[in-house]
Amino acid sequence: MRYRDEHKELLVKEKAIEMIVREGLDGFSMQKLAKEAGVSPATLYIYYKDKEDLLIQLGYEEATRLIKAILKNFDPSMRFEEGMRIQWRNRADYWLESPVKASFLEQLKHSPLRGQVFEALDMEFLETMGAFMHNAIANKEILPMTREVFWSVAYAPLYTLIHFHTDGISLAGNPFRFSEEIMWETFAVVMKALKA
Amino acid sequence: MRYRDEHKELLVKEKAIEMIVREGLDGFSMQKLAKEAGVSPATLYIYYKDKEDLLIQLGYEEATRLIKAILKNFDPSMRFEEGMRIQWRNRADYWLESPVKASFLEQLKHSPLRGQVFEALDMEFLETMGAFMHNAIANKEILPMTREVFWSVAYAPLYTLIHFHTDGISLAGNPFRFSEEIMWETFAVVMKALKA
DNA sequence: ACAATAAATGAACGAACATTCATTTATATT
DNA sequence: AATATAAATGAATGTTCGTTCATTTATTGT
């Protein structure tokens, strides 16, 4: 039998992500993708059940890579500060090294496909993070707080800076390293506030 | 001559925003909007030049309301802490009171229309904020920093919490008031970090 | 009552859309 | 070399899209 052309398959994925980032999810169409990847429209339906399936599969695949990148060198049993700093840098690295793929994931996260792409993956990821937080609490490194407050303090400023960066706004100095320090010192503030 | 039915015009705007928030910018179409608003498709082209014009006008209008809401009771000559806290609460109030419209603006901000909708308005708004920061610096209430770092510290955690809230995630306790205090105390951290 | 005028309409246009299908092409096994 | 099999295709399907236009409707000033 004839084997699937993996180069072609990869090209389709690449062009799809490119087009979505360039023209938005509404500017994306199967016929345009086929033309851009130099493939028949019908071929896309060999790889994917339909348009939605294509988007979900691509999103799931890239989201998996993101989570893997975030958890690189990370272990839930780490000391809190070390774990936080590693994740912080992993996140910054991923976004700065793969801005197009990051923007693709961002678009999916703000679309109706959000649930189908991220729900299962996020559950697993949040369990790991939950274990990490639980350890930190047990070790009295942090006081109990909700995941949401934790997130808003730990990573929101970073992502905001990254978005400025992605939008082509020049960030003088080294705001990322700077922001990491702010993140860490802010936790001290939160600890104090939660005690009061 | 016959006058324009203002009730109909308002209904069109309302349904358009509803549909965009519900189905995303790619799920939005002129024919569906016409049907949902009980209007002929041709009528939409009396109100708006074309689909893009409709989105830009609606976006511009709502963005104007948002900026007005943010600047309510605010004056650039205020003391820094007072000004910050007023803006902080204004932002929280707008999002919590008008989640649908806020989500609509969010979608436009992540779309190719971004520039045409927000550029001119943001320029004006950023001038006001620039004056506020300049005053605070002149009064030695804050040290100089870029707009981006300022934003990431001042409002990023708030918006993150708001997004959790909009997604229907319950926020135990009163994380918004809590987050305001964190914001303010974090500025103390930033001041210290910038001095070092 | 009538003329003037702009709002509002339903039907229609070609273009682009997602998807399908009969056919052809390439390869692994016999 | 012949066969089997799945990949790959180009053309075509029906649907929905944005937009237009000839016509009708409602309201003002005469």
Side-chain angles (χ1 to χ4, degrees), chain A residues 168-192:
Chain A
I169 292 164
S170 90
L171 298 172
N174 193 337
F176 293 104
R177 218 172 85 69
F178 178 60
S179 181
E180 181 185 341
E181 295 312 314
I182 292 180
M183 176 274 290
W184 184 246
E185 299 207 29
T186 301
F187 262 98
V189 175
V190 179
M191 296 309 112
K192 205 178 67 182

mmCIF file with all atom_site columns, all heavy atoms in Angstrom, chain A residues 168-192:
data_model
loop_
_atom_site.group_PDB
_atom_site.id
_atom_site.type_symbol
_atom_site.label_atom_id
_atom_site.label_alt_id
_atom_site.label_comp_id
_atom_site.label_asym_id
_atom_site.label_entity_id
_atom_site.label_seq_id
_atom_site.pdbx_PDB_ins_code
_atom_site.Cartn_x
_atom_site.Cartn_y
_atom_site.Cartn_z
_atom_site.occupancy
_atom_site.B_iso_or_equiv
_atom_site.pdbx_formal_charge
_atom_site.auth_seq_id
_atom_site.auth_comp_id
_atom_site.auth_asym_id
_atom_site.auth_atom_id
_atom_site.pdbx_PDB_model_num
ATOM 1   N N   . GLY A 1 168 ? 5.056  43.471 19.565 1.00 0.00 ? 168 GLY A N   1
ATOM 2   C CA  . GLY A 1 168 ? 6.125  44.260 18.968 1.00 0.00 ? 168 GLY A CA  1
ATOM 3   C C   . GLY A 1 168 ? 6.491  45.498 19.764 1.00 0.00 ? 168 GLY A C   1
ATOM 4   O O   . GLY A 1 168 ? 7.224  46.358 19.291 1.00 0.00 ? 168 GLY A O   1
ATOM 5   N N   . ILE A 1 169 ? 5.957  45.592 20.988 1.00 0.00 ? 169 ILE A N   1
ATOM 6   C CA  . ILE A 1 169 ? 6.315  46.732 21.828 1.00 0.00 ? 169 ILE A CA  1
ATOM 7   C C   . ILE A 1 169 ? 7.665  46.447 22.474 1.00 0.00 ? 169 ILE A C   1
ATOM 8   O O   . ILE A 1 169 ? 7.863  45.393 23.083 1.00 0.00 ? 169 ILE A O   1
ATOM 9   C CB  . ILE A 1 169 ? 5.241  46.966 22.907 1.00 0.00 ? 169 ILE A CB  1
ATOM 10  C CG1 . ILE A 1 169 ? 3.951  47.440 22.239 1.00 0.00 ? 169 ILE A CG1 1
ATOM 11  C CG2 . ILE A 1 169 ? 5.715  47.974 23.946 1.00 0.00 ? 169 ILE A CG2 1
ATOM 12  C CD1 . ILE A 1 169 ? 2.740  47.336 23.119 1.00 0.00 ? 169 ILE A CD1 1
ATOM 13  N N   . SER A 1 170 ? 8.594  47.357 22.295 1.00 0.00 ? 170 SER A N   1
ATOM 14  C CA  . SER A 1 170 ? 9.927  47.096 22.825 1.00 0.00 ? 170 SER A CA  1
ATOM 15  C C   . SER A 1 170 ? 9.932  47.258 24.339 1.00 0.00 ? 170 SER A C   1
ATOM 16  O O   . SER A 1 170 ? 9.349  48.191 24.893 1.00 0.00 ? 170 SER A O   1
ATOM 17  C CB  . SER A 1 170 ? 10.943 48.040 22.185 1.00 0.00 ? 170 SER A CB  1
ATOM 18  O OG  . SER A 1 170 ? 11.057 49.223 22.935 1.00 0.00 ? 170 SER A OG  1
ATOM 19  N N   . LEU A 1 171 ? 10.537 46.294 24.990 1.00 0.00 ? 171 LEU A N   1
ATOM 20  C CA  . LEU A 1 171 ? 10.602 46.316 26.445 1.00 0.00 ? 171 LEU A CA  1
ATOM 21  C C   . LEU A 1 171 ? 12.040 46.644 26.845 1.00 0.00 ? 171 LEU A C   1
ATOM 22  O O   . LEU A 1 171 ? 12.917 45.780 26.804 1.00 0.00 ? 171 LEU A O   1
ATOM 23  C CB  . LEU A 1 171 ? 10.181 44.956 27.009 1.00 0.00 ? 171 LEU A CB  1
ATOM 24  C CG  . LEU A 1 171 ? 8.736  44.545 26.688 1.00 0.00 ? 171 LEU A CG  1
ATOM 25  C CD1 . LEU A 1 171 ? 8.482  43.118 27.106 1.00 0.00 ? 171 LEU A CD1 1
ATOM 26  C CD2 . LEU A 1 171 ? 7.761  45.477 27.369 1.00 0.00 ? 171 LEU A CD2 1
ATOM 27  N N   . ALA A 1 172 ? 12.248 47.900 27.193 1.00 0.00 ? 172 ALA A N   1
ATOM 28  C CA  . ALA A 1 172 ? 13.599 48.330 27.545 1.00 0.00 ? 172 ALA A CA  1
ATOM 29  C C   . ALA A 1 172 ? 14.083 47.604 28.800 1.00 0.00 ? 172 ALA A C   1
ATOM 30  O O   . ALA A 1 172 ? 13.291 47.086 29.584 1.00 0.00 ? 172 ALA A O   1
ATOM 31  C CB  . ALA A 1 172 ? 13.616 49.836 27.768 1.00 0.00 ? 172 ALA A CB  1
ATOM 32  N N   . GLY A 1 173 ? 15.390 47.568 28.984 1.00 0.00 ? 173 GLY A N   1
ATOM 33  C CA  . GLY A 1 173 ? 15.961 46.894 30.145 1.00 0.00 ? 173 GLY A CA  1
ATOM 34  C C   . GLY A 1 173 ? 15.768 45.392 30.009 1.00 0.00 ? 173 GLY A C   1
ATOM 35  O O   . GLY A 1 173 ? 15.761 44.852 28.923 1.00 0.00 ? 173 GLY A O   1
ATOM 36  N N   . ASN A 1 174 ? 15.596 44.703 31.122 1.00 0.00 ? 174 ASN A N   1
ATOM 37  C CA  . ASN A 1 174 ? 15.318 43.270 31.067 1.00 0.00 ? 174 ASN A CA  1
ATOM 38  C C   . ASN A 1 174 ? 14.092 42.989 31.916 1.00 0.00 ? 174 ASN A C   1
ATOM 39  O O   . ASN A 1 174 ? 14.191 42.472 33.021 1.00 0.00 ? 174 ASN A O   1
ATOM 40  C CB  . ASN A 1 174 ? 16.527 42.469 31.574 1.00 0.00 ? 174 ASN A CB  1
ATOM 41  C CG  . ASN A 1 174 ? 16.370 40.988 31.227 1.00 0.00 ? 174 ASN A CG  1
ATOM 42  O OD1 . ASN A 1 174 ? 15.250 40.507 31.023 1.00 0.00 ? 174 ASN A OD1 1
ATOM 43  N ND2 . ASN A 1 174 ? 17.483 40.290 31.171 1.00 0.00 ? 174 ASN A ND2 1
ATOM 44  N N   . PRO A 1 175 ? 12.920 43.356 31.388 1.00 0.00 ? 175 PRO A N   1
ATOM 45  C CA  . PRO A 1 175 ? 11.717 43.305 32.220 1.00 0.00 ? 175 PRO A CA  1
ATOM 46  C C   . PRO A 1 175 ? 11.342 41.892 32.639 1.00 0.00 ? 175 PRO A C   1
ATOM 47  O O   . PRO A 1 175 ? 10.649 41.714 33.628 1.00 0.00 ? 175 PRO A O   1
ATOM 48  C CB  . PRO A 1 175 ? 10.636 43.911 31.321 1.00 0.00 ? 175 PRO A CB  1
ATOM 49  C CG  . PRO A 1 175 ? 11.138 43.721 29.934 1.00 0.00 ? 175 PRO A CG  1
ATOM 50  C CD  . PRO A 1 175 ? 12.628 43.786 30.023 1.00 0.00 ? 175 PRO A CD  1
ATOM 51  N N   . PHE A 1 176 ? 11.804 40.884 31.894 1.00 0.00 ? 176 PHE A N   1
ATOM 52  C CA  . PHE A 1 176 ? 11.421 39.527 32.257 1.00 0.00 ? 176 PHE A CA  1
ATOM 53  C C   . PHE A 1 176 ? 12.127 39.058 33.521 1.00 0.00 ? 176 PHE A C   1
ATOM 54  O O   . PHE A 1 176 ? 11.507 38.546 34.442 1.00 0.00 ? 176 PHE A O   1
ATOM 55  C CB  . PHE A 1 176 ? 11.672 38.568 31.093 1.00 0.00 ? 176 PHE A CB  1
ATOM 56  C CG  . PHE A 1 176 ? 10.768 38.849 29.940 1.00 0.00 ? 176 PHE A CG  1
ATOM 57  C CD1 . PHE A 1 176 ? 11.243 39.497 28.814 1.00 0.00 ? 176 PHE A CD1 1
ATOM 58  C CD2 . PHE A 1 176 ? 9.425  38.510 29.993 1.00 0.00 ? 176 PHE A CD2 1
ATOM 59  C CE1 . PHE A 1 176 ? 10.398 39.781 27.758 1.00 0.00 ? 176 PHE A CE1 1
ATOM 60  C CE2 . PHE A 1 176 ? 8.572  38.788 28.944 1.00 0.00 ? 176 PHE A CE2 1
ATOM 61  C CZ  . PHE A 1 176 ? 9.068  39.429 27.821 1.00 0.00 ? 176 PHE A CZ  1
ATOM 62  N N   . ARG A 1 177 ? 13.434 39.263 33.543 1.00 0.00 ? 177 ARG A N   1
ATOM 63  C CA  . ARG A 1 177 ? 14.157 38.910 34.764 1.00 0.00 ? 177 ARG A CA  1
ATOM 64  C C   . ARG A 1 177 ? 13.642 39.750 35.926 1.00 0.00 ? 177 ARG A C   1
ATOM 65  O O   . ARG A 1 177 ? 13.426 39.258 37.036 1.00 0.00 ? 177 ARG A O   1
ATOM 66  C CB  . ARG A 1 177 ? 15.661 39.121 34.576 1.00 0.00 ? 177 ARG A CB  1
ATOM 67  C CG  . ARG A 1 177 ? 16.514 38.035 35.253 1.00 0.00 ? 177 ARG A CG  1
ATOM 68  C CD  . ARG A 1 177 ? 17.970 38.189 34.884 1.00 0.00 ? 177 ARG A CD  1
ATOM 69  N NE  . ARG A 1 177 ? 18.660 39.134 35.740 1.00 0.00 ? 177 ARG A NE  1
ATOM 70  C CZ  . ARG A 1 177 ? 18.931 38.905 37.032 1.00 0.00 ? 177 ARG A CZ  1
ATOM 71  N NH1 . ARG A 1 177 ? 18.546 37.794 37.618 1.00 0.00 ? 177 ARG A NH1 1
ATOM 72  N NH2 . ARG A 1 177 ? 19.578 39.798 37.748 1.00 0.00 ? 177 ARG A NH2 1
ATOM 73  N N   . PHE A 1 178 ? 13.435 41.016 35.620 1.00 0.00 ? 178 PHE A N   1
ATOM 74  C CA  . PHE A 1 178 ? 12.906 41.950 36.608 1.00 0.00 ? 178 PHE A CA  1
ATOM 75  C C   . PHE A 1 178 ? 11.555 41.478 37.147 1.00 0.00 ? 178 PHE A C   1
ATOM 76  O O   . PHE A 1 178 ? 11.323 41.451 38.359 1.00 0.00 ? 178 PHE A O   1
ATOM 77  C CB  . PHE A 1 178 ? 12.778 43.327 35.950 1.00 0.00 ? 178 PHE A CB  1
ATOM 78  C CG  . PHE A 1 178 ? 12.203 44.370 36.842 1.00 0.00 ? 178 PHE A CG  1
ATOM 79  C CD1 . PHE A 1 178 ? 12.830 44.721 38.027 1.00 0.00 ? 178 PHE A CD1 1
ATOM 80  C CD2 . PHE A 1 178 ? 11.025 45.015 36.487 1.00 0.00 ? 178 PHE A CD2 1
ATOM 81  C CE1 . PHE A 1 178 ? 12.291 45.694 38.839 1.00 0.00 ? 178 PHE A CE1 1
ATOM 82  C CE2 . PHE A 1 178 ? 10.488 45.983 37.296 1.00 0.00 ? 178 PHE A CE2 1
ATOM 83  C CZ  . PHE A 1 178 ? 11.113 46.330 38.475 1.00 0.00 ? 178 PHE A CZ  1
ATOM 84  N N   . SER A 1 179 ? 10.697 41.052 36.207 1.00 0.00 ? 179 SER A N   1
ATOM 85  C CA  . SER A 1 179 ? 9.365  40.615 36.596 1.00 0.00 ? 179 SER A CA  1
ATOM 86  C C   . SER A 1 179 ? 9.419  39.344 37.440 1.00 0.00 ? 179 SER A C   1
ATOM 87  O O   . SER A 1 179 ? 8.602  39.150 38.336 1.00 0.00 ? 179 SER A O   1
ATOM 88  C CB  . SER A 1 179 ? 8.514  40.381 35.337 1.00 0.00 ? 179 SER A CB  1
ATOM 89  O OG  . SER A 1 179 ? 7.217  39.989 35.697 1.00 0.00 ? 179 SER A OG  1
ATOM 90  N N   . GLU A 1 180 ? 10.389 38.487 37.166 1.00 0.00 ? 180 GLU A N   1
ATOM 91  C CA  . GLU A 1 180 ? 10.524 37.273 37.978 1.00 0.00 ? 180 GLU A CA  1
ATOM 92  C C   . GLU A 1 180 ? 10.780 37.652 39.434 1.00 0.00 ? 180 GLU A C   1
ATOM 93  O O   . GLU A 1 180 ? 10.201 37.068 40.354 1.00 0.00 ? 180 GLU A O   1
ATOM 94  C CB  . GLU A 1 180 ? 11.667 36.402 37.451 1.00 0.00 ? 180 GLU A CB  1
ATOM 95  C CG  . GLU A 1 180 ? 11.827 35.109 38.243 1.00 0.00 ? 180 GLU A CG  1
ATOM 96  C CD  . GLU A 1 180 ? 13.053 34.301 37.803 1.00 0.00 ? 180 GLU A CD  1
ATOM 97  O OE1 . GLU A 1 180 ? 13.554 34.529 36.684 1.00 0.00 ? 180 GLU A OE1 1
ATOM 98  O OE2 . GLU A 1 180 ? 13.510 33.460 38.611 1.00 0.00 ? 180 GLU A OE2 1
ATOM 99  N N   . GLU A 1 181 ? 11.636 38.629 39.627 1.00 0.00 ? 181 GLU A N   1
ATOM 100 C CA  . GLU A 1 181 ? 11.923 39.052 41.001 1.00 0.00 ? 181 GLU A CA  1
ATOM 101 C C   . GLU A 1 181 ? 10.688 39.653 41.660 1.00 0.00 ? 181 GLU A C   1
ATOM 102 O O   . GLU A 1 181 ? 10.394 39.387 42.826 1.00 0.00 ? 181 GLU A O   1
ATOM 103 C CB  . GLU A 1 181 ? 13.080 40.065 41.013 1.00 0.00 ? 181 GLU A CB  1
ATOM 104 C CG  . GLU A 1 181 ? 14.408 39.478 40.555 1.00 0.00 ? 181 GLU A CG  1
ATOM 105 C CD  . GLU A 1 181 ? 14.711 38.148 41.239 1.00 0.00 ? 181 GLU A CD  1
ATOM 106 O OE1 . GLU A 1 181 ? 14.552 38.049 42.473 1.00 0.00 ? 181 GLU A OE1 1
ATOM 107 O OE2 . GLU A 1 181 ? 15.093 37.191 40.527 1.00 0.00 ? 181 GLU A OE2 1
ATOM 108 N N   . ILE A 1 182 ? 9.961  40.438 40.881 1.00 0.00 ? 182 ILE A N   1
ATOM 109 C CA  . ILE A 1 182 ? 8.738  41.022 41.432 1.00 0.00 ? 182 ILE A CA  1
ATOM 110 C C   . ILE A 1 182 ? 7.779  39.908 41.838 1.00 0.00 ? 182 ILE A C   1
ATOM 111 O O   . ILE A 1 182 ? 7.192  39.933 42.919 1.00 0.00 ? 182 ILE A O   1
ATOM 112 C CB  . ILE A 1 182 ? 8.063  41.939 40.396 1.00 0.00 ? 182 ILE A CB  1
ATOM 113 C CG1 . ILE A 1 182 ? 8.925  43.180 40.153 1.00 0.00 ? 182 ILE A CG1 1
ATOM 114 C CG2 . ILE A 1 182 ? 6.669  42.352 40.884 1.00 0.00 ? 182 ILE A CG2 1
ATOM 115 C CD1 . ILE A 1 182 ? 8.336  44.127 39.141 1.00 0.00 ? 182 ILE A CD1 1
ATOM 116 N N   . MET A 1 183 ? 7.629  38.932 40.942 1.00 0.00 ? 183 MET A N   1
ATOM 117 C CA  . MET A 1 183 ? 6.757  37.793 41.243 1.00 0.00 ? 183 MET A CA  1
ATOM 118 C C   . MET A 1 183 ? 7.129  37.192 42.582 1.00 0.00 ? 183 MET A C   1
ATOM 119 O O   . MET A 1 183 ? 6.295  36.994 43.455 1.00 0.00 ? 183 MET A O   1
ATOM 120 C CB  . MET A 1 183 ? 6.877  36.745 40.135 1.00 0.00 ? 183 MET A CB  1
ATOM 121 C CG  . MET A 1 183 ? 6.087  35.470 40.362 1.00 0.00 ? 183 MET A CG  1
ATOM 122 S SD  . MET A 1 183 ? 6.956  34.212 41.352 1.00 0.00 ? 183 MET A SD  1
ATOM 123 C CE  . MET A 1 183 ? 8.235  33.689 40.205 1.00 0.00 ? 183 MET A CE  1
ATOM 124 N N   . TRP A 1 184 ? 8.423  36.945 42.744 1.00 0.00 ? 184 TRP A N   1
ATOM 125 C CA  . TRP A 1 184 ? 8.836  36.263 43.956 1.00 0.00 ? 184 TRP A CA  1
ATOM 126 C C   . TRP A 1 184 ? 8.624  37.123 45.196 1.00 0.00 ? 184 TRP A C   1
ATOM 127 O O   . TRP A 1 184 ? 8.116  36.668 46.221 1.00 0.00 ? 184 TRP A O   1
ATOM 128 C CB  . TRP A 1 184 ? 10.296 35.813 43.843 1.00 0.00 ? 184 TRP A CB  1
ATOM 129 C CG  . TRP A 1 184 ? 10.667 35.042 45.064 1.00 0.00 ? 184 TRP A CG  1
ATOM 130 C CD1 . TRP A 1 184 ? 11.574 35.404 46.000 1.00 0.00 ? 184 TRP A CD1 1
ATOM 131 C CD2 . TRP A 1 184 ? 10.070 33.843 45.519 1.00 0.00 ? 184 TRP A CD2 1
ATOM 132 N NE1 . TRP A 1 184 ? 11.587 34.494 47.010 1.00 0.00 ? 184 TRP A NE1 1
ATOM 133 C CE2 . TRP A 1 184 ? 10.676 33.518 46.754 1.00 0.00 ? 184 TRP A CE2 1
ATOM 134 C CE3 . TRP A 1 184 ? 9.071  33.005 45.017 1.00 0.00 ? 184 TRP A CE3 1
ATOM 135 C CZ2 . TRP A 1 184 ? 10.316 32.391 47.480 1.00 0.00 ? 184 TRP A CZ2 1
ATOM 136 C CZ3 . TRP A 1 184 ? 8.722  31.894 45.745 1.00 0.00 ? 184 TRP A CZ3 1
ATOM 137 C CH2 . TRP A 1 184 ? 9.345  31.590 46.961 1.00 0.00 ? 184 TRP A CH2 1
ATOM 138 N N   . GLU A 1 185 ? 8.979  38.377 45.070 1.00 0.00 ? 185 GLU A N   1
ATOM 139 C CA  . GLU A 1 185 ? 8.823  39.252 46.242 1.00 0.00 ? 185 GLU A CA  1
ATOM 140 C C   . GLU A 1 185 ? 7.355  39.517 46.556 1.00 0.00 ? 185 GLU A C   1
ATOM 141 O O   . GLU A 1 185 ? 6.979  39.732 47.707 1.00 0.00 ? 185 GLU A O   1
ATOM 142 C CB  . GLU A 1 185 ? 9.573  40.576 46.005 1.00 0.00 ? 185 GLU A CB  1
ATOM 143 C CG  . GLU A 1 185 ? 11.075 40.324 45.793 1.00 0.00 ? 185 GLU A CG  1
ATOM 144 C CD  . GLU A 1 185 ? 11.922 41.519 46.208 1.00 0.00 ? 185 GLU A CD  1
ATOM 145 O OE1 . GLU A 1 185 ? 11.487 42.260 47.125 1.00 0.00 ? 185 GLU A OE1 1
ATOM 146 O OE2 . GLU A 1 185 ? 12.985 41.715 45.615 1.00 0.00 ? 185 GLU A OE2 1
ATOM 147 N N   . THR A 1 186 ? 6.548  39.500 45.497 1.00 0.00 ? 186 THR A N   1
ATOM 148 C CA  . THR A 1 186 ? 5.122  39.707 45.726 1.00 0.00 ? 186 THR A CA  1
ATOM 149 C C   . THR A 1 186 ? 4.550  38.602 46.601 1.00 0.00 ? 186 THR A C   1
ATOM 150 O O   . THR A 1 186 ? 3.650  38.832 47.402 1.00 0.00 ? 186 THR A O   1
ATOM 151 C CB  . THR A 1 186 ? 4.355  39.774 44.397 1.00 0.00 ? 186 THR A CB  1
ATOM 152 O OG1 . THR A 1 186 ? 4.887  40.836 43.617 1.00 0.00 ? 186 THR A OG1 1
ATOM 153 C CG2 . THR A 1 186 ? 2.878  40.019 44.636 1.00 0.00 ? 186 THR A CG2 1
ATOM 154 N N   . PHE A 1 187 ? 5.078  37.408 46.450 1.00 0.00 ? 187 PHE A N   1
ATOM 155 C CA  . PHE A 1 187 ? 4.586  36.313 47.281 1.00 0.00 ? 187 PHE A CA  1
ATOM 156 C C   . PHE A 1 187 ? 4.777  36.609 48.764 1.00 0.00 ? 187 PHE A C   1
ATOM 157 O O   . PHE A 1 187 ? 3.945  36.237 49.595 1.00 0.00 ? 187 PHE A O   1
ATOM 158 C CB  . PHE A 1 187 ? 5.247  34.989 46.896 1.00 0.00 ? 187 PHE A CB  1
ATOM 159 C CG  . PHE A 1 187 ? 4.377  34.180 45.992 1.00 0.00 ? 187 PHE A CG  1
ATOM 160 C CD1 . PHE A 1 187 ? 4.597  34.204 44.623 1.00 0.00 ? 187 PHE A CD1 1
ATOM 161 C CD2 . PHE A 1 187 ? 3.321  33.448 46.489 1.00 0.00 ? 187 PHE A CD2 1
ATOM 162 C CE1 . PHE A 1 187 ? 3.780  33.487 43.776 1.00 0.00 ? 187 PHE A CE1 1
ATOM 163 C CE2 . PHE A 1 187 ? 2.504  32.728 45.645 1.00 0.00 ? 187 PHE A CE2 1
ATOM 164 C CZ  . PHE A 1 187 ? 2.727  32.743 44.286 1.00 0.00 ? 187 PHE A CZ  1
ATOM 165 N N   . ALA A 1 188 ? 5.856  37.284 49.057 1.00 0.00 ? 188 ALA A N   1
ATOM 166 C CA  . ALA A 1 188 ? 6.071  37.680 50.444 1.00 0.00 ? 188 ALA A CA  1
ATOM 167 C C   . ALA A 1 188 ? 4.937  38.600 50.903 1.00 0.00 ? 188 ALA A C   1
ATOM 168 O O   . ALA A 1 188 ? 4.408  38.465 52.011 1.00 0.00 ? 188 ALA A O   1
ATOM 169 C CB  . ALA A 1 188 ? 7.422  38.379 50.582 1.00 0.00 ? 188 ALA A CB  1
ATOM 170 N N   . VAL A 1 189 ? 4.538  39.504 50.016 1.00 0.00 ? 189 VAL A N   1
ATOM 171 C CA  . VAL A 1 189 ? 3.437  40.404 50.332 1.00 0.00 ? 189 VAL A CA  1
ATOM 172 C C   . VAL A 1 189 ? 2.152  39.619 50.557 1.00 0.00 ? 189 VAL A C   1
ATOM 173 O O   . VAL A 1 189 ? 1.413  39.853 51.509 1.00 0.00 ? 189 VAL A O   1
ATOM 174 C CB  . VAL A 1 189 ? 3.235  41.427 49.179 1.00 0.00 ? 189 VAL A CB  1
ATOM 175 C CG1 . VAL A 1 189 ? 2.008  42.277 49.447 1.00 0.00 ? 189 VAL A CG1 1
ATOM 176 C CG2 . VAL A 1 189 ? 4.468  42.283 49.020 1.00 0.00 ? 189 VAL A CG2 1
ATOM 177 N N   . VAL A 1 190 ? 1.915  38.648 49.674 1.00 0.00 ? 190 VAL A N   1
ATOM 178 C CA  . VAL A 1 190 ? 0.698  37.854 49.792 1.00 0.00 ? 190 VAL A CA  1
ATOM 179 C C   . VAL A 1 190 ? 0.677  37.091 51.106 1.00 0.00 ? 190 VAL A C   1
ATOM 180 O O   . VAL A 1 190 ? -0.351 37.024 51.787 1.00 0.00 ? 190 VAL A O   1
ATOM 181 C CB  . VAL A 1 190 ? 0.575  36.870 48.611 1.00 0.00 ? 190 VAL A CB  1
ATOM 182 C CG1 . VAL A 1 190 ? -0.680 36.030 48.750 1.00 0.00 ? 190 VAL A CG1 1
ATOM 183 C CG2 . VAL A 1 190 ? 0.553  37.622 47.300 1.00 0.00 ? 190 VAL A CG2 1
ATOM 184 N N   . MET A 1 191 ? 1.829  36.527 51.446 1.00 0.00 ? 191 MET A N   1
ATOM 185 C CA  . MET A 1 191 ? 1.909  35.785 52.714 1.00 0.00 ? 191 MET A CA  1
ATOM 186 C C   . MET A 1 191 ? 1.489  36.674 53.868 1.00 0.00 ? 191 MET A C   1
ATOM 187 O O   . MET A 1 191 ? 0.680  36.296 54.703 1.00 0.00 ? 191 MET A O   1
ATOM 188 C CB  . MET A 1 191 ? 3.354  35.308 52.975 1.00 0.00 ? 191 MET A CB  1
ATOM 189 C CG  . MET A 1 191 ? 3.891  34.312 51.983 1.00 0.00 ? 191 MET A CG  1
ATOM 190 S SD  . MET A 1 191 ? 2.774  32.928 51.744 1.00 0.00 ? 191 MET A SD  1
ATOM 191 C CE  . MET A 1 191 ? 2.256  33.237 50.076 1.00 0.00 ? 191 MET A CE  1
ATOM 192 N N   . LYS A 1 192 ? 2.020  37.883 53.854 1.00 0.00 ? 192 LYS A N   1
ATOM 193 C CA  . LYS A 1 192 ? 1.734  38.824 54.933 1.00 0.00 ? 192 LYS A CA  1
ATOM 194 C C   . LYS A 1 192 ? 0.240  39.173 54.931 1.00 0.00 ? 192 LYS A C   1
ATOM 195 O O   . LYS A 1 192 ? -0.419 39.163 55.971 1.00 0.00 ? 192 LYS A O   1
ATOM 196 C CB  . LYS A 1 192 ? 2.580  40.088 54.753 1.00 0.00 ? 192 LYS A CB  1
ATOM 197 C CG  . LYS A 1 192 ? 2.826  40.841 56.039 1.00 0.00 ? 192 LYS A CG  1
ATOM 198 C CD  . LYS A 1 192 ? 3.713  42.064 55.790 1.00 0.00 ? 192 LYS A CD  1
ATOM 199 C CE  . LYS A 1 192 ? 2.984  43.093 54.954 1.00 0.00 ? 192 LYS A CE  1
ATOM 200 N NZ  . LYS A 1 192 ? 3.815  44.275 54.648 1.00 0.00 ? 192 LYS A NZ  1
#
